[in-house]
Amino acid sequence: MPLATKILWSIVGVFGALAYGLAIGGVIRKVMARIQGRIGPPVWQPYIDLGKNLSLRTATHHGVMSFIAPIFRAAGGIGVFLLVPVVIGVPALENFSFSGDLLMVMYFIFFGSLGMALGAAEAGHPHSPIGISRGLAQMSSYELPFALAVVALAAQAGSFSIREIILAQQGGWLHWNLFANPLAAAAAFLAFLGMNMYAPFNIVGAPQEIPVGPPTEFNSQFLSLLMVGRATFAVAKIVLYMDLFLGGAHSLPEALVKTFLIYFWSIFVGAVFPRFRTEQSIRFFLGWPTLAGIAGVLLVIFSH
Amino acid sequence: MKTIVDDIRTRFIVEWEHQQREDLRQIGVRPGTVVPLLGWLKLHSPFVQLTHMSAVDWIEEGELQLTYLLTDPVGMRSLMVCTRIDREEATMESVHALWPQAVTYEQEINEMFGICFPGSPRQGVPFILEGWDDMPPMRRDFDTVEHVHAHHPSRPGREHTDPRAYIGRVFGERGFLHDDD
Amino acid sequence: MESKKLPVLPVSAPPEGSVPHAPLGEGCFLGETQRPKAPKLREALATIKNWFRANSLWVMAYGTGCGSIELRPLTTARFDMERFGLAMRPTPRQSNVLIISGYLAVKSLKRVIRAYEQMPSPKWVVGLGSCTINGGMYWDSYNTINQLDLYLPVDTYIAGCMPRPEALLAGFGYLMEKIKKGEANGWHHYLENLDWYKENQKKVITAWDLPDYNW
């Protein structure tokens, strides 16, 4: 495929991911509302919110870094998405997958939050640094089980390429890493709860506590850029998990179903749990998920 | 309850007492004995908690009444210690050394009634009335209506009824506040 | 949503011939009005933007008086304001609607002005309860203002003491209709007549220590 076509398809893919991420956000709000016995907003409400934020005018100036922070955030989300193959076998939807892309993806997952940390601190509201420091602490702790799971999968497939890992899982659903290495899968899916930051791990936004956390001072277009980053990042994460544990996807509908199920794992957990405190959250990730991750690595070492 | 008031009587001069409810007793003392009495109550009686502190303006007698409401958290009883101070030179000893939360009460009473508590922190610091330039508003010679007309413009078209005449017309000559029968 | 038209009191107008406030600059704030202007494209764009704005009103979660007790039921299952796109935001930077819920003490007025000016434009003010209209039962109180629209531009009044949550929802429906028609221009009125509003505010807030405009 020529490079120009590739770039064009990537742009289409990013916008598709954005649309899908926003739609998932709408479905989540609807599900939460139904659980609470409410009617809830329409499913397309996030699109309206995005359009609304785009048609507001900002009047604030906190400094250059706080202007760049939402761009970092969005770049983190889009960057992760562009490295992860969505549908295997369709060159247009395989994005910029290359050998060793898994390491790059793990770096990019951190990227947005680090940029956000710099910007939110400059905005000056005390809730922003509190939220950021909580977020980075939690991120460092869930990174450990996630990294162990990734190491286990890489050792199992003998490659750090996401494409190779997908291809190693072909030939029936029992070959999926979810069943081939259940310990690594458990570690990674528990880390996923922290990654998505729904309850009980919503200590960054923490409603009623540090009301919205990092984006307290961000408004209008900045906020819409943060929404874009959040939506694409969510899609990138679930696509990555689908590739690593559910054997990737051979068609777009298959990808939609699988990613939707992965995402709602964290929603259904989040709907029934109250919030952890920061130290409880960190202690949780360094406990059973990390042990499961280590066991997953050992399983690979001793069975191969 | 009775025994504690008797105990107080052996140590302090109690001018009057009144059983308001079964679990609420009022005693009246002189201003000079208030702080020693409250200190003794905190150390040697079950009434260890300062629940509330308020003031009343008795303009006809030229006095301001200060009321300290103490509570016995175990026996669920309350004791009100009342004292009257001169209205013109309204000064009272502070009790913030006994209960730190008294600072806020004293700050508010200072703002609303103009009673000075020397030594209490935050005296004269605005509590609710920021930039107040009139007399303390809870003193009864403060003319609220005049102040409002001078400071807060209001939408024309609303008619004013004199509260005293209106309540008299609705509830008869005595008004509706007659709890002493 | 069934939106009944609520009677709206006329907003107190500043004196005739008041000068539009210039120092804020054209580019940063006053450039775009909500009133549709002559070119067709711009008019269509304004209509679309207004539709977005009307269907995603974020309410500042801030209560000044007893009326805020009527705001809480709106988020519950019985009234559920989220189905109209209304959501509570804890920061003025992300809010579009400021509800003055009931009486407003002078001390709160200062904070309210600060919060209002920090909100991104376009923004709207809802006066909830009789106290914001003519003082309500706090008419002769020494420390509450009697008429809100002298200090902030009010787009919708919801009368009552206190109005029920249904009345609040109806008021929001009215505000949404007004925004869609491009008539809810209180924020623009505020900027055009900033001197008049500031004069009124400074008259009642004697301990004035705010900047000229809280960005």
Side-chain angles (χ1 to χ4, degrees):
Chain A
M1 184 183 281
L3 190 65
T5 326
K6 186 82 185 164
I7 289 170
L8 199 69
W9 272 109
S10 305
I11 293 168
V12 171
V14 166
F15 277 98
L18 173 61
Y20 181 50
L22 290 174
I24 282 188
V27 176
I28 289 164
R29 284 172 73 172
K30 195 82 182 168
V31 167
M32 286 299 199
R34 297 310 300 176
I35 289 171
Q36 292 162 4
R38 295 186 284 122
I39 294 172
V43 177
W44 52 87
Q45 187 64 41
Y47 296 98
I48 304 178
D49 289 347
L50 188 67
K52 190 274 306 269
N53 278 327
L54 281 173
S55 55
L56 290 181
R57 303 180 67 80
T58 184
T60 49
H61 188 290
H62 297 300
V64 177
M65 201 57 224
S66 82
F67 283 170
I68 299 176
I71 300 172
F72 266 60
R73 188 86 178 128
I78 293 170
V80 174
F81 178 77
L82 283 181
L83 290 174
V84 182
V86 182
V87 177
I88 205 78
V90 182
L93 289 170
E94 274 188 21
N95 290 336
F96 295 97
S97 181
F98 62 95
S99 61
D101 52 0
L102 194 49
L103 292 173
M104 187 78 179
V105 163
M106 288 188 66
Y107 163 71
F108 254 121
I109 286 177
F110 250 112
F111 183 77
S113 299
L114 288 174
M116 193 67 202
L118 295 170
E122 200 176 62
H125 197 282
H127 286 159
S128 308
I130 294 173
I132 282 294
S133 59
R134 288 172 169 207
L136 290 180
Q138 177 169 287
M139 193 175 268
S140 316
S141 60
Y142 74 64
E143 193 76 0
L144 189 57
F146 179 62
L148 284 169
V150 166
V151 166
L153 298 192
Q156 197 171 320
S159 167
F160 263 115
S161 160
I162 298 174
R163 202 186 146 78
E164 293 296 320
I165 293 176
I166 297 171
L167 292 178
Q169 299 177 61
Q170 299 311 311
W173 56 271
L174 275 176
H175 291 228
W176 293 355
N177 279 332
L178 187 63
F179 303 104
N181 194 341
L183 290 168
F189 273 86
L190 288 173
F192 186 67
L193 294 179
M195 219 182 271
N196 267 348
M197 290 195 271
Y198 285 101
F201 303 106
N202 53 352
I203 58 172
V204 178
Q208 291 93 35
E209 198 180 328
I210 46 166
V212 281
T216 306
E217 284 285 325
F218 290 97
N219 58 11
S220 57
Q221 281 93 349
F222 301 118
L223 191 62
S224 52
L225 206 51
L226 289 178
M227 286 173 74
V228 168
R230 191 181 165 83
T232 42
F233 191 40
V235 173
K237 275 183 299 193
I238 50 182
V239 170
L240 177 66
Y241 266 71
M242 177 187 74
D243 288 348
L244 292 184
F245 295 101
L246 264 62
H250 292 283
S251 66
L252 210 49
E254 190 190 347
L256 290 181
V257 170
K258 281 181 176 173
T259 51
F260 196 80
L261 289 177
I262 292 171
Y263 205 76
F264 270 73
W265 148 246
S266 70
I267 299 304
F268 288 134
V269 171
V272 291
F273 275 100
R275 178 159 64 237
F276 272 157
R277 291 204 306 269
T278 312
E279 72 275 15
Q280 288 172 324
S281 158
I282 290 167
R283 212 167 280 162
F284 174 82
F285 286 118
L286 298 184
W288 287 111
T290 305
L291 288 179
I294 293 170
V297 175
L298 292 178
L299 186 73
V300 173
I301 290 172
F302 288 116
S303 62
H304 284 263
Chain B
M1 183 68 81
K2 190 71 184 160
T3 57
I4 281 164
V5 177
D6 290 340
D7 226 5
I8 295 170
R9 275 182 187 283
T10 61
R11 289 170 174 81
F12 304 94
I13 301 167
V14 177
E15 289 179 325
W16 54 270
E17 60 176 295
H18 174 64
Q19 188 80 27
Q20 182 86 22
R21 279 197 320 258
E22 200 176 314
D23 56 348
L24 176 65
R25 195 165 187 87
Q26 289 175 304
I27 57 170
V29 293
R30 289 187 191 146
T33 49
V34 166
V35 176
L37 170 59
L38 293 182
W40 182 82
L41 282 170
K42 193 189 172 190
L43 281 175
H44 301 291
S45 83
F47 295 94
V48 292
Q49 178 190 323
L50 178 71
T51 307
H52 192 61
M53 200 176 144
S54 70
V56 181
D57 186 4
W58 296 95
I59 191 169
E60 292 85 356
E61 286 130 58
E63 286 177 332
L64 285 162
Q65 178 182 325
L66 270 167
T67 305
Y68 300 81
L69 180 66
L70 303 187
T71 302
D72 165 14
V74 180
M76 309 294 273
R77 298 171 298 172
S78 298
L79 180 69
M80 276 165 111
V81 178
C82 308
T83 189
R84 297 256 184 137
I85 56 173
D86 186 49
R87 203 168 171 279
E88 299 309 315
E89 286 175 33
T91 308
M92 185 65 201
E93 285 175 70
S94 168
V95 294
H96 76 275
L98 293 173
W99 291 284
Q101 74 266 33
V103 170
T104 310
Y105 288 121
E106 287 170 351
Q107 183 189 7
E108 191 181 9
I109 290 174
N110 174 259
E111 182 174 273
M112 289 293 174
F113 288 90
I115 301 174
C116 185
F117 296 89
S120 177
R122 306 214 300 265
Q123 289 285 293
V125 178
F127 183 64
I128 292 169
L129 310 172
E130 287 182 343
W132 187 258
D133 52 358
D134 213 330
M135 68 183 300
M138 285 292 156
R139 292 232 176 180
R140 276 167 63 203
D141 47 355
F142 169 72
D143 193 337
T144 312
V145 175
E146 193 188 326
H147 178 88
V148 169
H149 287 174
H151 288 81
H152 301 307
S154 86
R155 196 185 293 279
R158 181 164 174 170
E159 61 180 65
H160 186 87
T161 46
D162 180 34
R164 194 186 296 268
Y166 181 77
I167 291 171
R169 199 174 74 231
V170 175
F171 294 99
E173 285 290 305
R174 296 178 64 200
F176 63 98
L177 293 167
H178 39 82
D179 55 347
D180 52 347
D181 47 6
Chain C
M1 172 177 181
E2 287 256 325
S3 60
K4 264 175 112 177
K5 286 223 167 169
L6 293 177
V8 175
L9 291 166
V11 172
S12 297
E16 281 297 314
S18 52
V19 195
H21 198 266
L24 286 172
E26 281 294 307
C28 66
F29 224 98
L30 279 174
E32 181 205 23
T33 76
Q34 251 205 301
R35 301 179 195 115
K37 285 209 169 155
K40 275 277 192 295
L41 184 68
R42 196 162 172 184
E43 199 175 315
L45 201 63
T47 313
I48 295 169
K49 281 182 172 181
N50 284 339
W51 185 85
F52 276 125
R53 288 163 183 159
N55 282 297
S56 164
L57 290 177
W58 287 356
V59 181
M60 173 98 178
Y62 174 69
T64 58
C66 37
S68 53
I69 203 80
E70 303 291 334
L71 285 173
R72 306 299 175 261
L74 284 182
T75 56
T76 60
R78 191 175 179 85
F79 299 104
D80 188 22
M81 65 189 225
E82 213 187 354
R83 66 198 148 124
F84 303 119
L86 298 161
M88 290 280 189
R89 297 307 288 184
T91 157
R93 298 285 189 211
Q94 298 173 6
S95 318
N96 316 114
V97 182
L98 180 63
I99 298 181
I100 307 299
S101 50
Y103 67 85
L104 190 54
V106 174
K107 188 176 178 178
S108 321
L109 176 65
K110 196 154 114 183
R111 278 78 184 164
V112 163
I113 290 167
R114 203 171 162 179
Y116 176 75
E117 289 177 355
Q118 284 186 348
M119 283 158 60
S121 304
K123 49 196 167 184
W124 301 282
V125 179
V126 173
L128 173 65
S130 306
C131 299
T132 55
I133 300 171
N134 60 6
M137 62 179 277
Y138 294 95
W139 189 23
D140 277 344
S141 171
Y142 55 91
N143 201 27
T144 58
I145 58 152
N146 283 336
Q147 194 185 342
L148 179 61
D149 51 31
L150 291 174
Y151 313 104
L152 288 176
V154 183
D155 293 286
T156 306
Y157 277 118
I158 303 169
C161 183
M162 293 309 301
R164 294 263 311 148
E166 291 94 333
L168 252 164
L169 281 181
F172 276 123
Y174 178 79
L175 179 64
M176 283 155 81
E177 289 301 316
K178 217 176 153 184
I179 293 168
K180 278 179 201 163
K181 283 183 205 150
E183 289 167 1
N185 288 314
W187 62 281
H188 204 261
H189 189 267
Y190 184 76
L191 292 173
E192 274 179 342
N193 305 289
L194 195 65
D195 291 337
W196 185 78
Y197 281 109
K198 284 289 160 193
E199 200 189 325
N200 287 339
Q201 291 166 2
K202 282 177 185 168
K203 232 183 264 171
V204 67
I205 304 173
T206 40
W208 181 270
D209 54 1
L210 294 176
D212 284 338
Y213 198 90
N214 298 284
W215 291 106

